[in-house]
Amino acid sequence: MRMFPDAMAHSAYDIDYPYLYEKGYRGIIYDIDNTLVEHNAPADDRAVELAYRLCNIGFSVCVVSNNKEPRVRRFAEALGCMYVFKAGKPLRKGYDRAMERMGTDCRNTVAVGDQLFTDIWGANNAGIRSIMVNRIAFHEEIQIHFKRIPETFIVFLYRLTHGKTGVKELL
């Protein structure tokens, strides 16, 4: 099902990135809100450190968000990475722009996000491997809360059919 992630992880900070690099991945696309930081929060030390560590491994990093440019630009500048704003997720155009900016393609790019109906579906539409992470916080905009209801059911189906599949099992 195109709605399922390729793998799941507890958080974006728990992924085995050296393993991904060893497997040939060179670009990582991140959602911002509730993937790297709480909703509407600025980049924190943990997110900056992650971006620094990924660049040292050899990855190109791009944040892809449906937010407006001021929010996304400030966040990306703090991380020292590329960005795509008003990405139109789950459409593939934002992911394609990100890969173009990073110089990667769908075979060597992975996307990490917390929302099934935007981040994961969008990555799958673009042919990119996707890793779904648990959301950082439960306070979100109301329209996101409504999407979480069917999302919970789909994630339950995923776990029934795939078990607790981690990154190493699927990517």
Side-chain angles (χ1 to χ4, degrees), residues 95-112:
Y95 294 91
D96 289 340
R97 269 192 240 134
M99 288 186 288
E100 182 180 311
R101 290 178 183 164
M102 292 188 297
T104 62
D105 60 41
C106 60
R107 295 175 308 240
N108 63 2
T109 304
V110 64
V112 180

Side-chain angles (χ1 to χ4, degrees), residues 30-165:
Y30 285 102
D31 174 52
I32 297 173
D33 290 326
N34 260 338
T35 297
L36 293 173
V37 294
E38 288 189 25
H39 190 74
N40 281 329
D44 60 15
D45 291 342
R46 189 167 72 154
V48 172
E49 171 57 34
L50 176 62
Y52 177 78
R53 188 166 52 103
L54 293 172
C55 289
N56 281 338
I57 292 171
F59 284 107
S60 293
V61 176
C62 187
V63 292
V64 174
S65 175
N66 286 344
N67 278 303
K68 295 178 183 172
E69 186 173 20
R71 159 108 174 105
V72 181
R73 183 184 66 244
R74 278 191 304 274
F75 195 90
E77 286 174 351
L79 266 57
C81 71
M82 295 163 260
Y83 68 94
V84 175
F85 67 97
K86 285 190 164 182
K89 294 185 286 184
L91 300 176
R92 68 177 293 151
K93 67 181 182 174
Y95 294 91
D96 289 340
R97 269 192 240 134
M99 288 186 288
E100 182 180 311
R101 290 178 183 164
M102 292 188 297
T104 62
D105 60 41
C106 60
R107 295 175 308 240
N108 63 2
T109 304
V110 64
V112 180
D114 71 295
Q115 287 190 61
L116 195 62
F117 292 114
T118 53
D119 309 320
I120 303 307
W121 191 7
N124 292 346
N125 282 338
I128 300 170
R129 293 289 197 164
S130 59
I131 302 171
M132 186 171 181
V133 296
N134 295 329
R135 60 184 160 177
I136 291 174
F138 285 90
H139 59 278
E140 300 173 303
E141 295 175 352
I142 191 70
Q143 71 270 16
I144 296 171
H145 276 294
F146 287 128
K147 289 190 275 184
R148 295 287 188 189
I149 297 166
E151 179 181 281
T152 301
F153 176 71
I154 294 168
V155 169
F156 174 77
L157 287 176
Y158 172 87
R159 288 192 170 131
L160 272 179
T161 58
H162 292 80
K164 290 186 177 182
T165 309

